[in-house]
Amino acid sequence: MTKKELVIEVIERLKKEYPKAECTLLYDEPWKLLVEVRLAAQCTDERVNVVVQDLYKKYPTVEALANATPEAIEVIVKPCGLGKSKAKDIHACMCILHEKYDGQIPDDFDKLLELPGVGRKSANLIMGDIFHKPAIVTDTHCIRLCNRIGLVKDIKEPKKVEMALWKIVPPEEGSDLCHRFVMHGRAVCSARKQPDCEHCCLKDICRKHV
């Protein structure tokens, strides 16, 4: 089985296992996902979803966050860890959105990368979830599962994994596949404990298991 054939089989099986592929960060406006994905660095989505309730209550718009101070933002987002740097990036990012993009998120990958605190992973998440364009989000779950399954071999650098996946994953499937990697990584193929290979829908085609 080639890697292209393998990834198609992985996609189809994970679709059956996790029919609804979606981000676990909760947001009702595009700019909020930009804030939340920055807060989610080295923090759980569950904690972020709780912390941002207070943040949005006090600063309900891009303009409100742009007019706040990084120090005031830090007081609220501190429970997510790295409060000073995250607050600084969020404030700077909202200032740019307010002043340059009329409060909107640019739908261009390179322009997203120019925003403070936005890397390839975050930009891909925005492109896929907000603009429904081809995207591959190489978070820790994606990298771990791709190596275990055999879609890549001994590659841990996010950008290299992303580039390898672009060669074999159908563009329209990339975003949803990465969400399903997160779901499968949390439910079955854990990093913190022994993977539950016995109950894995991929066990007969996974390089780690076979």
Side-chain angles (χ1 to χ4, degrees), residues 2 34 54 84 103 111 131 137 148 150-151 169 189 192 195:
T2 67
L34 198 56
D54 289 335
K84 187 177 292 295
K111 285 186 171 63
F131 300 113
V137 182
R148 286 179 175 176
L151 297 176
V169 176
C189 199
R192 297 183 179 181

Side-chain angles (χ1 to χ4, degrees), residues 163-182:
M163 294 301 109
L165 291 180
W166 277 120
K167 295 177 182 179
I168 60 174
V169 176
E172 70 277 8
E173 297 286 358
S175 181
D176 284 351
L177 173 61
C178 292
H179 282 316
R180 291 187 172 102
F181 277 150
V182 172

Side-chain angles (χ1 to χ4, degrees), residues 140-174:
T140 56
H141 293 290
C142 175
I143 294 169
R144 183 176 72 256
L145 267 65
C146 285
N147 276 278
R148 286 179 175 176
I149 294 167
L151 297 176
V152 300
K153 185 177 180 181
D154 301 326
I155 303 177
K156 301 298 174 64
E157 186 180 324
K159 185 177 180 180
K160 289 183 178 180
V161 174
E162 180 192 335
M163 294 301 109
L165 291 180
W166 277 120
K167 295 177 182 179
I168 60 174
V169 176
E172 70 277 8
E173 297 286 358

Side-chain angles (χ1 to χ4, degrees), residues 36-106:
E36 291 168 26
V37 73
R38 180 66 186 98
L39 292 177
Q42 299 182 41
C43 182
T44 65
D45 290 359
E46 292 80 4
R47 182 181 291 271
V48 172
N49 288 335
V50 171
V51 169
V52 293
Q53 292 180 33
D54 289 335
L55 183 67
Y56 300 148
K57 186 176 181 180
K58 188 168 184 178
Y59 306 109
T61 64
V62 169
E63 183 178 4
L65 273 171
N67 289 332
T69 64
E71 292 76 18
I73 296 171
E74 181 186 354
V75 171
I76 300 174
V77 304
K78 191 174 181 179
C80 293
L82 304 174
K84 187 177 292 295
S85 62
K86 289 181 180 181
K88 181 180 178 182
D89 285 342
I90 289 170
H91 178 258
C93 188
M94 294 301 109
C95 285
I96 293 173
L97 292 189
H98 177 56
E99 296 167 5
K100 187 175 181 179
Y101 296 109
D102 195 29
Q104 304 302 309
I105 297 178

Side-chain angles (χ1 to χ4, degrees), residues 180-194:
R180 291 187 172 102
F181 277 150
V182 172
M183 296 174 184
H184 195 62
R186 289 172 176 167
V188 177
C189 199
S190 174
R192 297 183 179 181
K193 58 184 179 181
Q194 186 69 17

Side-chain angles (χ1 to χ4, degrees), residues 111-131:
K111 285 186 171 63
L112 286 170
L113 289 179
E114 293 173 357
L115 297 174
V118 177
R120 296 189 66 85
K121 182 178 76 172
S122 301
N124 270 302
L125 181 64
I126 295 292
M127 293 300 289
D129 280 37
I130 300 300
F131 300 113

